[in-house]
Amino acid sequence: MKYDDYLPVWDEKKAQRLRNGSRRCSWVPIAVAISVLLNVIFVFGPKKAIPSGNPQAPSLTALDNYQHLNSQPIVNAAFMSTTTPVNSNENMIVTSLYTDAFAPGVATLGHTLNKVNSSAGRLLLYLPEKISSRALCIATSTGFIPYPIKRIPPPYEGVHPHFLDQYSKLTLWSLDSLGVQSLVYLDADTLVQRNFDELFSVPFNFGAVPDVYIDEPGFTLGFNAGMLFLRPSSSVFERMVAQIGTANYRAEDAEQSFLNHFYGSEAVRLPYAYNANLAIKRRKPELWVDLKKEARVVHYTLVKPFLQGDYEEVEVTQLEKNVVGQYGAWGGLFKEELDDWAEAWRETLQLHGTMIAECRRGHYRV
Ligand SMILES: *[C@@H]1O[C@H](CO)[C@@H](O)[C@H](O)[C@H]1NC(C)=O
């Protein structure tokens, strides 16, 4: 018969199954009773059955209350496999040199970019009137291409003495004139530990990493301007330059405060791995431990391995000694990071020492 398995609307077998089913329904009142009992135990039972969490937690930021919870990588590999490769003419890593003292920092940064096989182009913005040929030669010995720029003077009084040249950083936005579509800016006091080519696939116009202070306010909403992702635009550049002297912001913090106001509601918050600020190690050591597993860029904010005194130059031959001299800073907290920098500097000398020596003898190739 064609409809062997077909049950008519009513048949005795089905009726039997339904009756059995309805007998099962007689268990429902028992289940409800158990449920009610369990609820009574849940509500009135001993409180220690339910972990109470940390009552202080709501008054801490999640970062001051940091715990090792997440182990997912910060970049999605499947998504990255769909993106276009980095193009060294359109995607650039840019740093800056406003004083000779930072030249070994730039050279070492360049070496660490080589070491992680960074695919982007490299550009070094410098102020020709302030930078000696010797320093420029050392700074570019590991691959940065020198690019002279015009200084943008501070529009307000009261700028921190270390930040007097920092408005020149806004020049980054004008680099579309060179065909640059996206760039990562790194301060000269940063060291690269992992490749970060993925940043060039960020679709937004601007991204940066939130700033961190050792004392209050600690982890903040505002970003640190030592590492920036941006898509240059000369019209944005002109708008910025027109506004630096009229906008209302904290003059002491110079371009960082201006940029925080300019991009206040549009900046994309990038993971701390892109600007692993030493202040995090001091503020929340547990967070630093996890951060080191993913860190792309370490930012030497609290110690400067290649400087002495108040941002003064250290002779190239004295750099290792200078690093050791800083071991004791902050109660010895940054010895490991200082050693990381010293190791990168030794490698820089191994690979580029001949050129650096020629720079120091006055044989410039730039
Ligand atoms: C960089 O590339 C070289 C040569 O292809 C390779 O041997 C090395 O492992 C790469 N380094 C990293 C960090 O991927």
Side-chain angles (χ1 to χ4, degrees):
M1 200 179 133
K2 197 175 178 186
Y3 297 114
D4 261 351
D5 297 330
Y6 175 76
L7 285 176
V9 172
W10 184 259
D11 78 343
E12 196 42 42
K13 278 183 193 160
K14 187 176 177 184
Q16 182 67 37
R17 278 203 300 278
L18 287 172
R19 277 193 296 276
N20 288 345
S22 72
R23 266 205 301 279
R24 276 200 295 275
C25 288
S26 67
W27 288 95
V28 167
I30 296 168
V32 168
I34 291 169
S35 168
V36 167
L37 185 65
L38 286 173
N39 274 290
V40 167
I41 292 169
F42 181 77
V43 174
F44 299 105
K47 280 289 176 280
K48 70 172 194 259
I50 311 155
S52 65
N54 177 359
Q56 289 177 323
S59 65
L60 296 172
T61 68
L63 292 161
D64 276 318
N65 192 26
Y66 183 80
Q67 295 141 71
H68 175 76
L69 301 174
N70 182 10
S71 60
Q72 185 183 30
I74 57 174
V75 170
N76 186 289
F79 171 76
M80 283 312 299
S81 69
T82 68
T83 61
T84 50
V86 168
N87 172 324
S88 63
N89 295 317
E90 295 171 356
N91 309 122
M92 291 270 175
I93 294 159
V94 188
T95 188
S96 56
L97 190 61
Y98 306 143
T99 158
D100 281 3
F102 280 73
V106 173
T108 309
L109 172 62
H111 162 66
T112 55
L113 285 164
N114 294 335
K115 198 175 166 183
V116 302
N117 297 331
S118 169
S119 316
R122 316 251 180 96
L123 213 55
L124 171 66
L125 310 187
Y126 73 99
L127 299 172
E129 69 277 20
K130 299 191 86 177
I131 298 302
S132 71
S133 304
R134 176 187 51 82
L136 191 61
C137 178
I138 292 171
T140 54
S141 63
T142 58
F144 277 104
I145 307 295
Y147 184 73
I149 61 167
K150 203 164 159 280
R151 181 174 184 266
I152 301 176
Y156 291 127
E157 302 257 296
V159 173
H160 190 287
H162 291 167
F163 304 149
L164 284 167
D165 293 321
Q166 291 297 332
Y167 281 95
S168 306
K169 191 185 282 184
L170 302 182
T171 306
L172 294 169
W173 274 266
S174 72
L175 296 179
D176 56 339
S177 63
L178 301 182
V180 180
Q181 292 189 0
S182 64
L183 67 85
V184 172
Y185 170 81
L186 298 175
D187 268 353
D189 57 354
T190 58
L191 198 68
V192 172
Q193 297 203 325
R194 287 180 183 79
N195 188 295
F196 53 83
D197 283 355
E198 69 273 8
L199 277 184
F200 298 101
S201 298
V202 168
F204 299 101
N205 279 319
F206 183 83
V209 176
D211 212 350
V212 183
Y213 300 86
I214 54 171
D215 298 317
E216 298 320 306
F219 294 100
T220 65
L221 197 55
F223 56 81
N224 179 277
M227 177 274 159
L228 308 170
F229 168 82
L230 62 104
R231 296 186 175 273
S233 158
S234 289
S235 63
V236 171
F237 171 67
E238 281 156 29
R239 192 176 171 86
M240 285 175 167
V241 173
Q243 288 177 335
I244 51 175
T246 56
N248 175 18
Y249 59 96
R250 203 174 128 91
E252 188 181 358
D253 295 337
E255 98 296 355
Q256 174 163 303
S257 184
F258 174 73
L259 288 172
N260 266 283
H261 286 73
F262 194 88
Y263 282 111
S265 65
E266 292 92 17
V268 169
R269 170 182 151 158
L270 295 171
Y272 290 99
Y274 295 98
N275 185 350
N277 185 333
L278 293 193
I280 296 172
K281 189 175 190 184
R282 168 88 179 188
R283 177 83 190 185
K284 196 66 191 171
E286 299 90 330
L287 172 51
W288 188 257
V289 169
D290 273 3
L291 187 53
K292 287 192 84 155
K293 298 172 196 160
E294 285 264 16
R296 274 72 165 152
V297 178
V298 175
H299 191 179
Y300 286 76
T301 49
L302 298 183
V303 288
K304 303 261 185 272
F306 50 84
L307 298 182
Q308 59 184 340
D310 188 23
Y311 279 39
E312 280 153 39
E313 189 169 357
V314 177
E315 257 292 300
V316 160
T317 53
Q318 301 301 305
L319 279 168
E320 284 212 50
K321 214 173 115 195
N322 193 66
V323 169
V324 172
Q326 296 192 40
Y327 278 173
W330 298 94
L333 185 62
F334 300 117
K335 181 176 179 295
E336 193 181 324
E337 289 71 25
L338 286 164
D339 279 340
D340 288 345
W341 192 89
E343 193 189 340
W345 168 246
R346 277 194 297 276
E347 292 167 359
T348 304
L349 278 185
Q350 269 162 26
L351 295 168
H352 309 275
T354 309
M355 171 142 185
I356 291 171
E358 294 208 358
C359 296
R360 297 181 63 235
R361 279 200 295 271
H363 300 159
Y364 311 127
R365 286 184 186 165
V366 292

